[in-house]
Amino acid sequence: MSGRDYGQKAGSPYAPHTDAETAAMLEAVGADDEGDLFDIPDAVAFDGEFGIPARSEREIRAELRETLADNDDLTEFLGRGHYSHYVPSVVDHLADRAEFLTSYTQYQPEIAQGFLQALFEYQSMLVELTGLGIANCSMYDAATALGEAATLADRVRSTSGDVVLVPEQLREGKRSVLANYCDGADLAVETYPMADGNVDLDALRERAGEDVVMVYAENPTVRGCIEEQLADVGAVADEADALFVLGSDAVALSVLEEPATVGADVVVGEAGALGLPAAYGMGLGLFACREEFLRQVPGRLVGASEDATDRRAYTLTLQTREQHIRKERATSNICTNQAWVALRAAMHAAHLGPSGLVELANDCVREATDLAERIDDLSGYGAPVHDRHHLREFAVRTDQPAAAVADEVEAAGFAVHTIGDHLLQVCVTDLNADAADELVAALEAAA
Amino acid sequence: MIYDQASYTREEEAQHEPLLSEKDETTVDVREESPLPEELTRDEVTLPELSEPEIARHYTRLSQMNWAIDAGAYPLGSCTMKYNPKFTEDVAANPDGAVHPDRSSRSVQGTLEVLYGLQEYLAEIGGMDAVTLQPPAGAAGEFTGIRVAKAYHEANGEGNRSEVIVPASAHGTNFATAALAGYDVVELPSDEDGRVDLDALEAAVSEDTAALMLTNPNTVGLFERDITEIAEIVHGAGGLLYYDGANLNALLGRGRPGDMGFDVMHYNVHKTFATPHGGGGPGAGPVGVVDELAEFLPTPRVRETESGSGYERFEPERTIGKVQGFEGNWLVLIKAYAYIARLGDEGLADAAAKAVLNANYLGERLDLEIPYGPYHHEFAATSGDRDAADVAKRMLDYGVHPPTTKWPEMVHNAMLTEPTEIENKSSLDDLATAFNRAFADDDETLENAPNRTTAARIDQTSAARNPRLSWQALDGE
Ligand SMILES: Cc1ncc(COP(=O)(O)O)c(C=O)c1O
């Protein structure tokens, strides 16, 4: 009984044909059965089975509920590039409206004004947050946005260089994605050192030269440190005639130094810090750049125009940059992007407003500062490891092996990052700050 | 007729709906309350500040100005716009699945089990030996597959293979992907029948060939009957055969790329497996490969533990590294799993059968010529000497979404149409009527269309010549 979905037909429940309809349609096309319509030679036809049993909605929901219940119920103090903040219910309810969720890319703008306007608004918010002239309407995630920035640097820089410089402290996965994008463009990813959690400016200055096409820095860094000499990093890049690409996220940007004022040419990062709950690493790639790179921007752009009645209307524009027109000379291969996540991020930003956004970011600084202090007070720990200001997260030195501490803390119900033999990393936000006392207690017990 | 109060009461105004920034813009002094020293902060930030009711109205209004699969047919060729089963949203919203990717394998056994299950399903469906779920869209899957092919050739001391062959009728992402991966693109002309020209292929392959990228059925819906010979030619030259999974919906249960000689493929789960496109994304583009290529797949993948009591992540031995920062678009992948489970063998085969039946039935009812066949899940009709884009705009007035226009180029004024399995007969009849009426309307009517949509025809030239890409750029307009 539980296996039945009452009233649903055999075959695909989402193919609405009655037997009579199928018969009438087959007759109209002059076929005896559907198999006649397939022009697949026997030699390559498949007549086996996948062995996938069809289940009812109810069964699948129960199955997946049970399966996911096998995830341990941990309070996460995790960040390092994947951030979540409380997303108000209104975002789910509005974004899940079928008119948004089940729509396609806006190739017929006359009947897609709603989504186009929402994406235009999203782009505008990023223009405000970055201070740069252009933002596209999404990349897949921060890592692929960084890869796209490197290929952009390669296209727009007149120097013959082939080196992309990245900080020593960088998420390994991000570096790996970047390397995959760089390889095809014959670019080499090289590392510059850091000094106490910030860019080692002297070392960077020494390394930067004619062969460098791009300098990448993050604010905050992957360890949550706020960079203190960003304008100098920008100046070093500029002197080397290299693009200055800055990594950040939509929340941090609302309070940290404006990228445009420190000389950033491109801003990439995670815009899914807004609008998206913890989603196992699914993201929203932020990509903004200076206006002069307009024709070299990867991804879709929404622009304003007028319709035949002279009203303002929106449309995908400058599509000659894109793969469906420009093919192998396109600025990127991206087609399907993260538009719906961008919609969610814009809704969340609109709901917070500038005051809410700034308060949230400020709290991320305060909570990190407080928690680091409390952990530092415990014996067996030192925090923050770097003598810097932090946003959301910070590194912790452990006397015990860090992995053993993390295991013990996990057994007590908390997840933290292990980033070195004697290094942990802890991320605190509006979502887990109320469990900070318990985390501190668990760390104390594990020391 | 939709009751559209906003446009009645604001008739005189110059926009369909004001922007958030036109409703409110507030400037906040960042430094006033900042816990940070002044030199580390910006001075102010200016953004809309709206109450929740205002936001609900704004986005509800925007949603009313948007076509969607739940509103009606979306027969965009190549795009496979299927109905997105609602229950898959519920399984994706399960908070137990809302975990961080840096959690220990031990603590996310449920997530890993779902991912493992999907890897297994996809391997079966594609006839592949190993699958990665990491690529976040079809094009990312292509990039992954071509990077894997490159790593394979390099490992065999054949890293000097420098060309990827792409049929002229292929999707733009194939060309762009090959270039992004550092390859020279060799464009392959079609034969008179609209399929791969074997002689041209023979002439194109060489010791420089790294791979041929192919979709099957191809982009006008034709099955590449010579697929066995194609595979022999490519393999004979030492190249690999890549399958673009965008058209897999036509093959479900009747053909598997792995059985046709393909070595590497991507799955377009937002097409074939009905996950919502969300206005352009997110999607997911898992990649399947034959055994010889498995060790090059992105890291991590998921497998059963040796004892069989659980699941673990592992790094393939000669992995190309990563193609997305974490482990892919989880919220999309779990919906694909649920969809496949809902349909099972029989439902998947039925989806393909009805998708092909629908395309053939619709094609039969059109007054437009369809130069190539027999086609499967989609066909490229031609509007002849009438501009396909104009015909499409006029179709909007008849209450339907038009097909993909002017692509592929092998069909003049192409209208590439893919109704998918979800339309019933009367919906297809309506579509045919809209097609035929629009096609029969006079030139002036076509050029002035659409008239019944939120926005009238939008000036593309002005948008591109005078780019205004943000409200800041509108400057009081
Ligand atoms: C034939 C074909 N190949 C590749 C793609 C690219 O897939 P995606 O948009 O998911 O990147 C598409 C879809 O847009 C397609 O239709």
Side-chain angles (χ1 to χ4, degrees):
Chain A
M1 285 292 284
S2 67
R4 267 201 75 179
D5 275 342
Y6 294 98
Q8 295 217 348
K9 52 186 278 299
S12 168
Y14 313 112
H17 311 60
T18 62
D19 289 347
E21 264 179 356
T22 303
M25 291 166 72
L26 282 169
E27 196 183 323
V29 301
D32 290 335
D33 64 49
E34 291 141 348
D36 288 355
L37 300 171
F38 286 83
D39 182 32
I40 305 179
D42 288 344
V44 294
F46 174 69
D47 59 3
E49 279 176 11
F50 301 142
I52 303 171
R55 283 92 93 192
S56 69
E57 257 195 50
R58 183 164 164 231
E59 285 173 312
I60 298 163
R61 292 185 67 176
E63 172 194 325
L64 287 171
R65 205 179 306 119
E66 272 166 39
T67 306
L68 288 175
D70 286 346
N71 283 346
D72 295 347
D73 186 13
L74 302 181
T75 303
E76 298 177 344
F77 285 84
L78 301 172
R80 288 183 70 80
H82 188 57
Y83 305 111
S84 41
H85 297 285
Y86 177 72
V87 180
S89 292
V90 67
V91 171
D92 284 333
H93 287 274
L94 292 174
D96 281 352
R97 287 182 67 91
E99 297 88 339
F100 290 133
L101 185 64
T102 79
S103 68
Y104 191 68
T105 307
Q106 299 75 24
Y107 290 133
Q108 294 292 343
E110 291 83 2
I111 55 168
Q113 284 300 294
F115 219 122
L116 285 163
Q117 181 168 334
L119 292 173
F120 183 84
E121 292 170 347
Y122 166 81
Q123 291 176 179
S124 305
M125 289 173 178
L126 292 184
V127 165
E128 169 62 21
L129 289 176
T130 60
L132 297 174
I134 304 170
N136 77 11
C137 77
S138 72
M139 310 262 66
Y140 306 129
D141 71 345
T144 57
L146 176 59
E148 300 275 9
T151 68
L152 178 128
D154 187 45
R155 290 192 299 275
V156 302
R157 268 326 191 217
S158 48
T159 55
S160 55
D162 59 1
V163 174
V164 166
L165 282 182
V166 301
E168 167 193 1
Q169 280 153 15
L170 180 68
R171 210 186 147 87
E172 179 48 38
K174 195 178 271 184
R175 187 193 163 102
S176 177
V177 173
L178 173 65
N180 268 316
Y181 275 80
C182 281
D183 187 67
D186 285 327
L187 296 171
V189 180
E190 285 185 25
T191 298
Y192 63 81
M194 299 187 77
D196 199 16
N198 268 200
V199 172
D200 181 337
L201 205 55
D202 292 335
L204 177 66
R205 203 171 273 132
E206 206 164 295
R207 177 62 192 84
E210 279 214 337
D211 58 337
V212 175
V213 292
M214 165 178 149
V215 174
Y216 179 61
E218 297 187 330
N219 192 31
T221 69
V222 66
R223 291 192 179 179
C225 297
I226 296 172
E227 282 286 352
E228 294 171 14
Q229 295 171 291
L230 270 184
D232 296 323
V233 176
V236 171
D238 201 41
E239 259 161 53
D241 195 24
L243 240 57
F244 177 25
V245 177
L246 184 64
S248 191
D249 71 77
V251 175
L253 284 170
S254 68
V255 296
L256 300 185
E257 285 181 277
E258 188 189 61
T261 62
V262 297
D265 297 297
V266 180
V267 174
V268 295
E270 197 36 79
L274 290 177
L276 201 59
Y280 202 60
M282 175 164 155
L284 168 59
L286 181 168
F287 193 101
C289 66
R290 284 169 37 203
E291 221 148 346
E292 65 179 275
F293 306 138
L294 179 65
R295 313 252 158 210
Q296 290 297 336
V297 177
R300 296 184 184 133
L301 293 169
V302 179
S305 184
E306 299 76 37
D307 72 6
T309 64
D310 281 337
R311 292 199 200 183
R312 188 202 298 151
Y314 306 93
T315 179
L316 294 175
T317 192
L318 299 163
Q319 294 186 64
T320 50
R321 300 164 298 110
E322 291 184 63
Q323 45 75 28
H324 61 289
I325 312 264
R326 189 60 61 87
K327 296 185 162 179
E328 65 270 27
R329 286 183 304 281
T331 55
S332 166
N333 70 336
I334 192 169
C335 179
T336 293
N337 56 18
Q338 304 282 114
W340 182 73
V341 190
L343 169 76
R344 293 182 60 104
M347 286 174 172
H348 193 180
H351 193 264
L352 287 166
S355 48
L357 199 51
V358 168
E359 271 171 48
L360 172 64
N362 284 343
D363 273 352
C364 288
V365 172
R366 286 191 199 102
E367 300 285 4
T369 312
D370 283 1
L371 184 56
E373 254 173 47
R374 295 180 59 190
I375 293 174
D376 196 49
D377 286 344
L378 301 175
S379 71
Y381 298 96
V385 168
H386 303 297
D387 185 18
R388 304 287 178 190
H389 296 276
H390 292 79
L391 193 141
R392 288 197 198 96
E393 52 192 336
F394 52 89
V396 178
R397 196 175 17 74
T398 61
D399 288 353
Q400 301 295 325
V405 175
D407 280 352
E408 236 184 285
V409 167
E410 184 177 302
F414 304 94
V416 297
H417 300 278
T418 303
I419 60 168
D421 291 344
H422 287 271
L423 282 181
L424 295 176
Q425 187 166 324
V426 174
C427 178
V428 57
T429 67
D430 54 317
L431 285 181
N432 59 13
D434 54 3
D437 288 351
E438 296 159 64
L439 175 72
V440 170
L443 283 168
E444 186 167 28
Chain B
M1 188 68 204
I2 294 167
Y3 180 67
D4 190 355
Q5 187 185 21
S7 64
Y8 298 140
T9 51
R10 274 203 301 272
E11 199 127 31
E12 299 308 310
E13 292 192 27
Q15 72 260 326
H16 298 285
E17 178 66 12
L19 290 159
L20 282 172
S21 58
E22 291 164 337
K23 295 181 176 181
D24 175 86
E25 242 183 0
T26 301
T27 298
V28 168
D29 180 344
V30 173
R31 285 171 182 158
E32 206 170 328
E33 301 279 328
S34 178
L36 292 169
E38 199 173 287
E39 63 276 14
L40 298 187
T41 65
R42 58 194 293 153
D43 50 5
E44 57 181 37
V45 60
T46 303
L47 286 169
E49 176 119 40
L50 276 73
S51 66
E52 184 164 320
E54 291 169 299
I55 288 167
R57 291 253 171 92
H58 182 75
Y59 285 104
T60 300
R61 166 74 181 143
L62 293 191
S63 76
Q64 289 167 339
M65 301 195 288
N66 222 60
W67 190 255
I69 192 71
D70 281 7
Y74 229 128
L76 285 164
S78 210
C79 303
T80 317
M81 283 298 288
K82 294 189 184 192
Y83 174 72
N84 314 125
K86 301 298 176 196
F87 85 101
T88 65
E89 294 304 314
D90 296 326
V91 303
N94 184 338
D96 288 348
V99 293
H100 191 287
D102 284 352
R103 292 262 297 251
S104 64
S105 290
R106 176 181 60 220
S107 74
V108 290
Q109 284 296 298
T111 300
L112 297 184
E113 184 176 337
V114 174
L115 295 175
Y116 180 77
L118 182 58
Q119 283 177 191
E120 294 286 290
Y121 281 175
L122 294 178
E124 265 309 320
I125 291 168
M128 291 284 150
D129 297 317
V131 170
T132 172
L133 303 176
Q134 197 175 102
E142 294 171 25
F143 183 60
T144 305
I146 296 301
R147 295 285 307 156
V148 163
K150 187 169 193 188
Y152 168 82
H153 289 310
E154 277 166 5
N156 291 339
E158 300 195 355
N160 51 348
R161 289 181 179 269
S162 59
E163 295 174 354
V164 168
I165 305 173
V166 181
S169 63
H171 195 258
T173 51
N174 291 186
F175 300 89
T177 293
L180 181 64
Y183 284 105
D184 296 329
V185 177
V186 177
E187 192 169 306
L188 191 66
S190 314
D191 68 9
E192 274 170 24
D193 299 334
R195 298 183 179 78
V196 168
D197 183 330
L198 288 184
D199 292 335
L201 179 61
E202 290 271 18
V205 297
S206 72
E207 61 207 12
D208 290 330
T209 305
L212 166 67
M213 299 179 84
L214 201 63
T215 184
N216 197 14
N218 68 17
T219 56
V220 291
L222 312 186
F223 193 86
E224 297 285 355
R225 289 182 197 130
D226 298 326
I227 186 62
T228 307
E229 291 75 15
I230 292 170
E232 273 168 21
I233 295 169
V234 173
H235 289 151
L240 295 174
L241 199 54
Y242 182 92
Y243 180 75
D244 175 339
N247 292 346
L248 186 64
N249 202 43
L251 289 187
L252 295 172
R254 292 186 187 263
R256 303 194 304 174
D259 301 337
M260 299 172 193
F262 287 97
D263 305 293
V264 45
M265 67 175 288
H266 79 260
Y267 304 79
N268 231 303
V269 310
H270 42 298
K271 302 181 194 282
T272 315
F273 304 118
T275 66
H277 280 75
V287 167
V289 295
V290 295
D291 260 334
E292 296 91 300
L293 300 178
E295 60 182 341
F296 302 103
L297 285 175
T299 186
R301 291 181 54 226
V302 181
R303 67 182 170 203
E304 282 181 297
T305 54
E306 222 157 288
S307 68
S309 61
Y311 302 88
E312 63 188 8
R313 303 179 179 101
F314 73 102
E315 176 166 327
E317 220 158 291
R318 299 155 97 170
T319 178
I320 60 162
K322 293 181 75 66
V323 294
Q324 195 259 9
F326 297 91
E327 292 171 48
N329 279 343
W330 160 256
L331 292 175
V332 178
L333 296 168
I334 186 172
K335 292 177 202 179
Y337 177 90
Y339 177 81
I340 294 170
R342 181 74 191 88
L343 267 66
D345 280 48
E346 205 190 319
L348 292 167
D350 188 50
K354 294 303 190 306
V356 173
L357 176 62
N358 277 2
N360 278 272
Y361 177 75
L362 178 60
E364 190 67 32
R365 302 230 25 200
L366 295 194
D367 297 340
L368 290 76
E369 191 201 337
I370 302 171
Y372 297 106
Y375 46 83
H376 291 78
H377 65 299
E378 65 188 354
F379 58 80
T382 172
S383 56
D385 55 2
R386 327 227 39 204
D387 189 273
D390 286 344
V391 176
K393 294 296 178 210
R394 184 61 180 153
M395 286 180 74
L396 296 174
D397 282 337
Y398 292 115
V400 302
H401 195 288
T404 302
T405 55
K406 299 192 172 179
W407 184 79
E409 286 115 12
M410 63 195 270
V411 174
H412 178 62
N413 268 324
M415 304 194 76
L416 184 67
T417 310
E418 180 183 9
T420 82
E421 69 274 17
I422 71 147
E423 304 305 329
N424 66 12
K425 181 166 169 293
S426 75
S427 156
L428 296 168
D429 290 339
D430 289 348
L431 256 178
T433 304
F435 250 109
N436 294 337
R437 284 199 184 150
F439 187 54
D441 281 329
D442 61 47
D443 286 345
E444 202 188 324
T445 307
L446 294 195
E447 279 159 28
N448 292 327
N451 301 299
R452 293 177 177 160
T453 47
T454 309
R457 181 86 66 111
I458 294 170
D459 186 347
Q460 297 294 334
T461 315
S462 152
R465 284 232 180 103
N466 174 21
R468 287 150 289 168
L469 307 178
S470 61
W471 59 52
Q472 293 86 344
L474 286 174
D475 223 7
E477 261 180 55

